[in-house]
């Protein structure tokens, strides 16, 4: 089985290096086909490993080589395939394979076609290192790798100022959080003497609660950055500046779930500090409804889906914080499929509408884009959590866990979020595919995506429909490594009332969205309507003015402080000191250069002067040594 591990891990790296060979050349189809095929091979190898684990096979643990060995510090390049990592491997390889083949069509006319696939496959390789590593140091290498690759992919269209700004924002925001994660890793090594998962977790029960709490807090700060949790959330929506396949891969299924994976992987630590877990769950519930509220009014279809991702990440953290780690992992898996499908469907709409993103300028696209409409509608049903699609089975268990653990406030918040999710999801569907054909007023001529792009999306569609049926099998597999708690409401009557009530609530939200946005008199908002000038609308459309606050009171203050330090400290003190020293040395050289004039008479004079000076110094030094005791007596008498 070890060879399949290496195939799954390194196939994307080979694909990235191959595409990079064509990086500076005009579009070469093979630069997309080869990495995509290698991703398919990685998926097959991951599937073999999954079958091995499901079949009761032993956990695969390999140590490829030693990375660091100094004193008591020993860090290998080690990888593990267990129930957690193999689940993440399948999510990453399935979604990335679909995205790679889809991107061959999506990026067909882009000048950076070859460069795109080099970055994309490098990202997948980094993500696999992250989830397959058997220690925190290896995880951090992959963690930083996906950060670097996401910077390159978000800012892929670097000629656009908005794209480079968004890439830098994502990179810097994550570096802030990663400092916290590094401190957490240092605390783990300082107190356990190792960064290997098994050894570190085995030592943690013997540590005091305060130390464990700080470990959990600092690790979670890293997770907050990567998974865009409040207040480090603003980069996620702005990251939609990248190509849509990037959004589907990075911001729906892989990179943004790395924070959730970190908490799940560290479940043995967080199980020892339930208070930190409750904070994580509470923050997750807040982020769920916070992000969903912003999606209600946004007029950018990719941003709406991005806010939806942020909201669903809140669900995952809520489950993980409550100790329902297997539930969080299951929702992570199910969500990856239907959310990636939504993003790719949005990509089809963008292509059809010449990169237009405002759904109010669309309408009636279902007549010319039936396949995309069906796919996005089914993905939205899964996202809303309607039976029998995948979202119902994963989201329903999170609500059960919150209710069964008597966290009724968290349960209520997540239930309300479910209604908001249904509303904003079908608001977009209604505005894009139904109602009056408003796109004709703007001169658009939409068309369906290439057939092979639709075929590439079909595995995600199938999984969005059937993934929920894997819940029992999934539970039986992961219970060997994660908490095996099954969450059931004690009263069957209460359970069915809750389940049916939730379904009716979601259906009513969908019906209201269709009623409100399928009307034929829908007009493109122009800033003059009563709704657009209301306080609530402005609050939501401006993201609660949090980006404004960051810009006005943090970024500008930091910029002004930096300007002062640059002009007053760097220029007038640091640079002036360095330039002054250089000036003195240069001036001294200018004045003494006549020593090397080549005139024998002048040079002899300098030699005599130098000899006299050296002899004088020797005499002074000798006298000081000879009469040192007398000198000390004199100085002491003077009080020196």
């Amino acid at each position: 089985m070890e060879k399949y591990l290496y195939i799954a891990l390194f196939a994307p790296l080979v694909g990235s290096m191959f595409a990079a060979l064509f990086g500076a050349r005009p579009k070469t189809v093979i630069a997309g086909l080869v990495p995509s095929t290698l991703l398919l091979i990685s998926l097959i190898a991951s599937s073999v490993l999954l079958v091995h684990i499901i079949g009761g096979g032993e956990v695969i643990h390999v140590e490829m080589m030693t990375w660091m060995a100094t004193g008591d510090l020993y860090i290998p390049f080690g990888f593990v395939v267990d129930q957690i990592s193999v689940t993440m491997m399948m999510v990453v390889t399935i979604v990335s394979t679909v995205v790679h083949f889809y991107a061959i069509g999506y990026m067909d006319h882009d000048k950076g076609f070859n460069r795109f696939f080099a970055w994309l496959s490098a990202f997948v390789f980094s993500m696999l290192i992250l989830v397959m590593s058997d220690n925190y140091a290896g995880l951090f290498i992959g963690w930083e790798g996906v950060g670097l690759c996401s910077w390159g992919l978000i800012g892929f269209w670097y000629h656009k100022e908005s794209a480079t700004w968004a890439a830098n924002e994502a990179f810097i925001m994550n570096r802030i959080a990663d400092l916290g994660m590094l401190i957490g890793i240092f605390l783990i090594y300082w107190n356990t003497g190792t960064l290997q998962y098994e050894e570190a977790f085995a030592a943690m029960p013997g540590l005091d609660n305060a130390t464990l709490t700080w470990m959990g807090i600092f690790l979670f700060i890293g997770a907050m950055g990567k998974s865009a949790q409040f207040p480090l959330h603003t980069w996620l929506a702005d990251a939609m500046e990248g190509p849509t396949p990037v959004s589907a891969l990075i911001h729906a299924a892989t990179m943004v779930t790395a924070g959730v994976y970190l908490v799940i992987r560290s479940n043995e630590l967080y199980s020892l500090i339930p208070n930190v877990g409750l904070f994580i769950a509470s923050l997750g519930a807040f982020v769920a409804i916070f992000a969903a509220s912003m999606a209600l009014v946004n007029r950018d279809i990719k941003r709406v889906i991005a806010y939806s991702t942020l909201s669903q990440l809140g669900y995952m953290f809520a489950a993980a914080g409550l100790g329902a780690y297997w539930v969080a992992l299951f929702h992570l898996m199910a969500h990856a499929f239907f959310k990636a499908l939504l993003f790719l469907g949005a990509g089809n709409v963008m292509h059809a509408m010449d990169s237009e993103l405002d759904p109010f300028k669309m309408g009636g696209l279902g007549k010319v884009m039936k396949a995309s409409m069906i796919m996005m509608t089914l993905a939205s049903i899964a996202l809303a959590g309607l039976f029998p699609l995948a979202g119902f089975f994963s989201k329903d268990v999170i609500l059960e866990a919150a209710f069964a653990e008597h966290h009724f406030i968290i349960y209520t918040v997540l239930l309300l979020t479910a209604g908001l999710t249904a509303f904003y999801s079908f608001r977009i569907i209604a505005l894009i595919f139904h109602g009056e054909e408003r796109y004709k007023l703007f001169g658009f001529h939409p068309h369906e995506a290439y057939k092979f792009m639709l075929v590439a999306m079909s595995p995600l569609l199938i999984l969005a429909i059937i993934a929920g049926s894997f819940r029992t099998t999934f539970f039986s597999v992961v219970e060997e490594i994660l908490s095996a708690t099954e969450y059931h409401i004690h009263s069957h009557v209460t359970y069915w009332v809750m389940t049916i009530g939730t379904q009716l609530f979601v259906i009513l939200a969908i019906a209201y969205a269709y009623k409100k946005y399928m009307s034929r008199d829908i007009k493109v908002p122009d800033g003059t309507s009563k709704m657009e000038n209301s306080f609530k609308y402005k609050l939501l459309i401006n993201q609660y003015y949090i980006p404004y606050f960051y810009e006005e009171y943090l970024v500008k203050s930091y910029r002004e402080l930096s300007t002062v330090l640059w002009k007053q400290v760097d220029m007038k003190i640091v640079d002036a000191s360095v330039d002054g020293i250089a000036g003195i040395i240069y001036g001294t050289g200018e004045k003494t250069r006549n020593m090397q004039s080549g005139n024998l008479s002048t040079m002899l004079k300098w030699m005599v002067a130098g000899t006299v000076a050296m002899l004088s110094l020797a005499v002074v030094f000798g006298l000081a040594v000879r009469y040192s005791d007398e000198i000390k007596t004199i100085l002491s008498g003077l009080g020196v």
Side-chain angles (χ1 to χ4, degrees):
M1 287 292 127
E2 186 175 326
K3 64 181 179 182
Y4 292 106
L5 183 153
Y6 289 126
I7 292 172
L9 177 61
F10 289 107
L13 176 61
V14 176
S16 175
M17 294 172 67
F18 180 85
L21 294 175
F22 300 90
R25 300 181 184 180
K27 177 199 168 185
T28 307
V29 176
I30 195 172
L33 284 174
V34 170
S36 302
T37 303
L38 287 168
L39 253 297
L40 180 60
I41 293 171
S42 179
L43 169 59
I44 294 170
S46 298
S47 301
V48 172
L49 295 171
L50 175 67
V51 172
H52 169 77
I53 295 295
I54 291 178
E58 294 184 355
V59 170
I60 303 167
H61 198 163
V62 300
E63 186 174 313
M64 193 169 70
M65 65 181 72
T66 298
W67 179 39
M68 284 189 187
T70 175
D72 295 331
L73 177 63
Y74 175 71
I75 304 176
F77 273 119
F79 302 96
V80 62
V81 176
D82 58 13
Q83 290 81 354
I84 297 176
S85 60
V86 78
T87 300
M88 292 298 296
M89 289 168 65
M90 289 301 298
V91 170
V92 171
T93 53
I94 288 173
V95 176
S96 61
T97 300
V98 169
V99 168
H100 269 69
F101 280 105
Y102 174 91
I104 294 174
Y106 189 90
M107 303 297 290
D108 184 40
H109 302 296
D110 198 287
K111 294 180 179 179
F113 182 91
N114 305 340
R115 177 169 55 89
F116 178 82
F117 282 92
W119 275 114
L120 202 63
S121 289
F123 171 85
V124 177
F125 172 64
S126 298
M127 190 68 197
L128 288 173
I129 288 179
L130 190 158
V131 302
M132 295 173 68
S133 178
D134 68 349
N135 63 81
Y136 282 105
L139 180 147
F140 190 73
I141 292 172
W143 193 275
E144 294 303 298
V146 296
L148 173 63
C149 293
S150 69
W151 172 82
L153 288 166
I154 295 169
F156 181 77
W157 289 317
Y158 54 84
H159 55 277
K160 293 171 56 180
E161 184 178 353
S162 58
T164 56
W165 188 92
N168 290 337
E169 180 193 20
F171 191 81
I172 294 169
M173 193 78 79
N174 275 275
R175 297 297 73 70
I176 294 170
D178 290 352
L179 175 60
M181 183 178 174
L182 264 180
I183 295 173
I185 292 174
F186 288 148
L187 284 174
I188 290 172
Y189 175 73
W190 186 264
N191 290 279
T192 66
T194 181
L195 293 177
Q196 301 295 115
Y197 296 143
E198 291 184 6
E199 298 173 12
F201 295 149
M204 285 178 183
L207 302 177
D208 62 273
N209 187 261
T211 300
L212 293 171
T213 298
W214 284 115
M215 286 181 187
I217 289 173
F218 280 114
L219 284 181
F220 182 62
I221 290 173
M224 288 171 64
K226 200 66 76 184
S227 294
Q229 296 297 284
F230 178 88
L232 304 175
H233 65 283
T234 55
W235 69 267
L236 184 60
D238 293 333
M240 296 303 105
E241 288 290 338
T244 300
V246 173
S247 303
L249 179 60
I250 296 180
H251 307 118
T254 53
M255 175 177 150
V256 293
T257 61
V260 180
Y261 169 78
L262 175 62
V263 174
I264 295 171
R265 176 55 78 183
S266 304
N267 68 90
E268 295 188 47
L269 166 61
Y270 287 103
S271 296
L272 299 171
I273 43 176
N275 289 337
V276 175
L278 181 58
F279 169 77
I280 293 173
S282 301
L283 180 64
F286 166 74
V287 170
I289 196 166
F290 170 73
S293 65
M294 292 187 288
L296 295 175
V297 299
N298 203 278
R299 289 175 53 187
D300 181 321
I301 57 177
K302 284 180 66 177
R303 281 180 175 264
V304 171
I305 302 173
Y307 287 131
S308 174
T309 298
L310 182 54
S311 180
Q312 296 306 305
L313 287 167
Y315 270 95
M316 297 173 207
F317 276 115
L322 294 174
Y325 301 105
W326 77 268
V327 178
L329 187 60
F330 184 62
H331 189 53
L332 184 159
M333 178 187 71
H335 169 265
F337 301 138
F338 54 73
K339 185 55 62 66
L341 182 62
L342 266 177
F343 266 117
L344 297 183
N348 291 350
V349 173
M350 285 179 64
H351 256 210
M353 295 291 294
D354 297 330
S355 298
E356 177 58 58
L357 288 166
D358 188 350
F360 283 94
K361 296 181 180 179
M362 300 177 188
L365 288 181
K367 296 178 181 179
V368 293
M369 301 183 69
K370 290 183 179 179
S372 294
M373 179 186 70
I374 292 171
M375 288 185 175
M376 288 190 70
T377 301
L378 289 173
S380 297
I381 292 173
L383 174 61
L386 280 178
F387 181 85
L389 273 67
F392 167 79
F393 293 95
S394 59
K395 192 181 293 185
D396 189 59
V397 186
I398 297 176
L399 293 171
E400 286 181 42
F403 192 90
E405 294 293 322
H406 306 295
H407 293 289
F408 300 118
I409 295 177
I410 292 176
Y411 168 79
T412 303
V413 171
L414 295 180
L415 180 61
L416 289 173
T417 303
L420 297 180
T421 302
F423 177 82
Y424 69 66
S425 297
F426 282 89
R427 166 181 175 263
I428 292 298
I429 295 296
L431 286 171
I432 295 174
F433 296 110
H434 303 288
E436 188 178 358
E437 297 168 339
R438 297 182 298 279
Y439 63 85
K440 293 182 178 179
L441 300 175
F442 300 94
F444 292 115
H445 302 283
H447 55 83
E448 185 58 278
Y450 298 136
K451 287 186 178 179
F452 81 86
M453 293 170 67
L454 297 173
V455 171
M457 293 167 62
S458 58
L460 294 177
L461 175 64
I462 295 169
L463 288 168
I465 295 171
I466 69 171
S469 61
F470 301 148
R471 189 172 77 175
T472 302
T473 303
F474 182 85
F475 176 79
S476 65
V477 172
V478 300
E479 67 178 346
E480 298 179 23
I481 193 171
L482 295 174
S483 175
T485 307
E486 283 201 80
Y487 297 92
H488 294 297
I489 309 303
H490 295 300
S491 169
H492 290 291
V493 175
T494 304
Y495 169 76
W496 283 110
V497 168
M498 285 172 51
T499 302
I500 295 173
T502 301
Q503 293 289 288
L504 289 174
F505 182 44
V506 168
I507 291 171
L508 286 173
I510 294 173
Y512 180 62
Y514 269 118
K515 180 182 178 182
K516 186 175 178 65
Y517 292 104
M518 279 187 63
S519 173
R520 289 194 170 272
D521 60 355
I522 289 288
K523 297 180 180 179
V524 179
D526 58 4
T528 60
S529 68
K530 183 178 179 181
M531 181 194 72
E532 291 174 277
N533 288 289
S534 67
F535 172 75
K536 289 186 292 185
Y537 180 87
K538 289 183 177 179
L539 188 67
L540 295 177
I541 201 68
N542 288 290
Q543 305 173 57
Y544 295 94
Y545 293 98
I546 293 173
Y548 173 81
F549 173 81
Y550 286 170
E551 178 65 27
E552 290 296 318
Y553 298 102
L554 296 180
V555 176
K556 284 188 176 179
S557 299
Y558 182 79
R559 186 184 296 120
E560 289 172 3
L561 176 62
S562 299
T563 302
V564 171
L565 293 175
W566 165 50
K567 291 183 177 180
Q568 303 300 325
V569 178
D570 191 45
M571 298 294 291
K572 293 185 178 180
I573 298 177
V574 178
D575 281 5
S577 299
V578 174
D579 292 343
I581 294 171
I584 292 171
I585 295 173
Y586 182 80
T588 303
E590 282 290 314
K591 292 178 180 179
T592 58
R593 66 189 301 175
N594 60 354
M595 294 171 61
Q596 301 294 328
S597 64
N599 186 293
L600 181 59
S601 177
T602 302
M603 294 176 71
L604 285 173
K605 290 178 182 178
W606 280 111
M607 289 174 62
V608 171
T611 303
V612 171
M614 291 179 64
L615 289 173
S616 300
L617 287 173
V619 170
V620 172
F621 182 74
L623 290 173
V625 174
R626 174 67 179 81
Y627 296 103
S628 59
D629 293 337
E630 289 81 352
I631 293 172
K632 288 180 181 177
T633 303
I634 294 170
L635 291 175
S636 62
L638 295 173
V640 178

